Amino acid sequence: MTSSVSSSPSSFSSTPSPELIKTRVPTKSYRIEIGLVVLFLCLTIPSLFFLTLIYRRQMNSISTTASPPSLPLPTDFSFLQPSISKHFFRKSLINYPQARCMDNTIASYYVRRANNNHARWLIYFDGGWFCYSKESCHFRQLYSPNLMNSNNFNEKKSLIGIFSSLKQYNIIYAPYCSSDLWSGSSNKTHSHGHDIFHAIFDDLNSNKDFQQAKQIIFTGYSAGGLGLLLNLPDLLPKFSPHIDLRIIIDSAWFIDYPGNINGISKINEGILYWNTQFPSACQLKPQYKCFFGSEAIRFLPSHVSIFVIQSLFDQTQLHLDQLNYNSDDFPTKLMDNLRQSSKRISIFAPACSLHGFLFRSLWSQFDIEQRTLASVLNVWLKRKKRTHLQLIDHRFDSSFCPQREDDEI
């Protein structure tokens, strides 16, 4: 509503408006009021000054005797030391002699506690390729030394991706420092992925909050996903049947591609180099088949719900197997392999030319036929264990694959 001001002569009357009239006050009364104000100020200002000095002295006394921590630690995790991230705390596996990274340093994992929540946990095992011989591991040490120890926590991981979305979960982050697909146990080559994996859970089981968990989501990206497939068959039977156990495999559903010589030869060489520890139930020959998702899930307890996120044009497997990026032969075989396991797993398989989803800035926006990864994952977490959700881009043209240049997986 706009107000207008009239400029007609009648609007400017010689009689002043009431709010502009100044009332005259007798001189005597005016001087008395001034005196009272001065007296009031003389009494009040010194009092305020002394009260301020007393307050500051008390605050200084409090700050020197009991300075509050920058981030309060839950009672049961008071042994944790602050990491470089304000959200996570580092826990060393110093009590486990075999839990060592490939550079022979003591392995660690990181913990972020949710506020007032002890029931739900997300345990994330990271990935990052592998080395399989003395020469390849030396090359890895020279050019990717951060993948040879667990001291360099990537603070970016706590700010983007699934960690930033599941704030209501207690989160365990396990860095990948063994370079052996979380499978080795060798003092000779310092391959201890298997030892680190099991040391983490042995350490966690000493905490009563973890023992009282109602839901645990095991998540693994790439090599971390393979680590879940290899280690969980022997580990999960130790958990209470009352816990809702779930597994998310991000970009680790490898297949036995016909004529694949390059990838299989490296894995076979690695198995010997790492002294790979296979699950007791997996007696497949040749042994490398225990790494394949369609085989590995048969050794997991049937009551555990599994969610597989896998690109049909996965760059890592195409590179490992030296396959044609522009051919539809590999994605077709991968899709058929996923279908064969469809009675056991939930699936989100877009036709994206990339590797890894959950640590991308825009992870939640990937979609197939306008159903986003975040919405499907949310439904999966809420539904009963035996209900499977499956979205596969059958025509390779129904996927939305957002990417940012600064995303480094």
Side-chain angles (χ1 to χ4, degrees), residues 325-395:
Y325 282 66
N326 298 317
S327 172
D328 290 344
D329 186 56
F330 170 77
T332 299
K333 287 183 170 57
L334 175 57
M335 185 167 54
D336 291 341
N337 184 269
L338 287 168
R339 285 172 175 163
Q340 292 173 11
S341 303
S342 59
K343 293 183 179 180
R344 182 68 178 87
I345 61 176
S346 293
I347 305 169
F348 186 88
C352 300
S353 181
L354 50 78
H355 181 70
F357 293 85
L358 295 181
F359 261 133
R360 295 184 180 272
S361 302
L362 304 176
W363 78 272
S364 61
Q365 299 179 31
F366 286 89
D367 76 46
I368 302 173
E369 297 179 353
Q370 299 184 347
R371 295 187 64 185
T372 65
L373 173 56
S375 65
V376 176
L377 191 59
N378 186 52
V379 172
W380 176 75
L381 287 172
K382 293 180 178 179
R383 286 193 178 183
K384 300 293 183 181
K385 300 176 185 178
R386 295 186 181 276
T387 303
H388 303 306
L389 304 173
Q390 293 164 354
L391 273 178
I392 302 176
D393 188 352
H394 301 283
R395 301 190 305 271

Side-chain angles (χ1 to χ4, degrees), residues 273-308:
Y273 188 77
W274 309 321
N275 186 30
T276 290
Q277 304 299 297
F278 290 100
S280 55
C282 187
Q283 302 296 326
L284 296 174
K285 300 297 180 182
Q287 287 184 308
Y288 71 80
K289 291 186 177 182
C290 296
F291 283 97
F292 296 137
S294 57
E295 300 289 347
I297 61 170
R298 297 193 291 111
F299 310 117
L300 292 167
S302 59
H303 67 276
V304 176
S305 184
I306 305 171
F307 190 97
V308 175

Side-chain angles (χ1 to χ4, degrees), residues 136-154:
S136 64
C137 290
H138 178 68
F139 184 86
R140 187 176 174 90
Q141 177 66 57
L142 289 176
Y143 294 98
S144 300
N146 59 309
L147 292 174
M148 307 293 273
N149 63 64
S150 58
N151 300 326
N152 301 310
F153 178 73
N154 186 350

Side-chain angles (χ1 to χ4, degrees), residues 155-204:
E155 190 172 0
K156 179 181 177 182
K157 293 181 183 295
S158 67
L159 303 176
I160 64 173
I162 196 170
F163 282 5
S164 64
S165 301
L166 296 181
K167 295 180 180 179
Q168 72 275 28
Y169 280 76
N170 301 302
I171 293 180
I172 304 295
Y173 168 68
Y176 177 48
C177 69
S178 58
S179 304
D180 59 358
L181 305 180
W182 292 94
S183 72
S185 182
S186 171
N187 291 326
K188 181 179 179 181
T189 62
H190 302 301
S191 305
H192 292 288
H194 173 270
D195 302 321
I196 296 171
F197 192 103
H198 290 267
I200 289 174
F201 286 99
D202 187 74
D203 198 53
L204 285 172

Side-chain angles (χ1 to χ4, degrees), residues 43-335:
L43 294 174
T44 304
I45 292 177
S47 300
L48 292 173
F49 176 76
F50 284 112
L51 288 172
T52 302
L53 288 178
I54 294 172
Y55 175 78
R56 288 181 176 178
R57 186 171 298 176
Q58 290 177 341
M59 293 302 296
N60 289 336
S61 176
I62 293 173
S63 63
T64 55
T65 56
S67 299
S70 57
L71 186 66
L73 285 175
T75 302
D76 291 316
F77 276 87
S78 58
F79 53 80
L80 298 175
Q81 298 297 318
S83 70
I84 61 173
S85 167
K86 65 181 180 179
H87 298 295
F88 282 80
F89 298 92
R90 180 180 175 186
K91 180 63 173 68
S92 172
L93 293 170
I94 192 170
N95 295 325
Y96 300 87
Q98 292 294 100
R100 290 183 171 272
C101 300
M102 188 160 271
D103 66 356
N104 206 30
T105 58
I106 298 170
S108 301
Y109 65 94
Y110 296 80
V111 183
R112 189 189 80 188
R113 293 301 302 270
N115 292 332
N116 302 319
N117 181 3
H118 307 305
R120 291 187 287 185
W121 295 76
L122 174 74
I123 305 176
Y124 192 98
F125 287 85
D126 212 350
W129 202 245
F130 60 91
C131 63
Y132 52 90
S133 63
K134 183 177 180 180
E135 293 75 17
S136 64
C137 290
H138 178 68
F139 184 86
R140 187 176 174 90
Q141 177 66 57
L142 289 176
Y143 294 98
S144 300
N146 59 309
L147 292 174
M148 307 293 273
N149 63 64
S150 58
N151 300 326
N152 301 310
F153 178 73
N154 186 350
E155 190 172 0
K156 179 181 177 182
K157 293 181 183 295
S158 67
L159 303 176
I160 64 173
I162 196 170
F163 282 5
S164 64
S165 301
L166 296 181
K167 295 180 180 179
Q168 72 275 28
Y169 280 76
N170 301 302
I171 293 180
I172 304 295
Y173 168 68
Y176 177 48
C177 69
S178 58
S179 304
D180 59 358
L181 305 180
W182 292 94
S183 72
S185 182
S186 171
N187 291 326
K188 181 179 179 181
T189 62
H190 302 301
S191 305
H192 292 288
H194 173 270
D195 302 321
I196 296 171
F197 192 103
H198 290 267
I200 289 174
F201 286 99
D202 187 74
D203 198 53
L204 285 172
N205 281 327
S206 64
N207 179 267
K208 66 179 184 180
D209 285 344
F210 187 74
Q211 292 175 356
Q212 296 172 359
K214 294 181 180 179
Q215 183 185 67
I216 301 176
I217 304 174
F218 304 88
T219 310
Y221 153 64
S222 194
L226 293 175
L228 296 184
L229 294 172
L230 283 179
N231 291 286
L232 288 183
D234 290 337
L235 182 67
L236 291 184
K238 300 178 182 179
F239 285 85
S240 168
H242 302 294
I243 302 177
D244 179 12
L245 300 175
R246 295 173 182 261
I247 300 172
I248 301 177
I249 305 295
D250 179 6
S251 305
W253 193 269
F254 290 85
I255 64 174
D256 195 357
Y257 190 80
N260 172 22
I261 299 176
N262 183 63
I264 295 302
S265 64
K266 290 180 179 179
I267 295 296
N268 281 330
E269 191 172 349
I271 288 172
L272 297 176
Y273 188 77
W274 309 321
N275 186 30
T276 290
Q277 304 299 297
F278 290 100
S280 55
C282 187
Q283 302 296 326
L284 296 174
K285 300 297 180 182
Q287 287 184 308
Y288 71 80
K289 291 186 177 182
C290 296
F291 283 97
F292 296 137
S294 57
E295 300 289 347
I297 61 170
R298 297 193 291 111
F299 310 117
L300 292 167
S302 59
H303 67 276
V304 176
S305 184
I306 305 171
F307 190 97
V308 175
I309 309 171
Q310 182 65 49
S311 172
L312 298 176
F313 291 85
D314 188 282
Q315 292 179 339
T316 294
Q317 185 158 358
L318 289 170
H319 173 72
L320 178 66
D321 294 341
Q322 297 182 345
L323 302 176
N324 185 354
Y325 282 66
N326 298 317
S327 172
D328 290 344
D329 186 56
F330 170 77
T332 299
K333 287 183 170 57
L334 175 57
M335 185 167 54

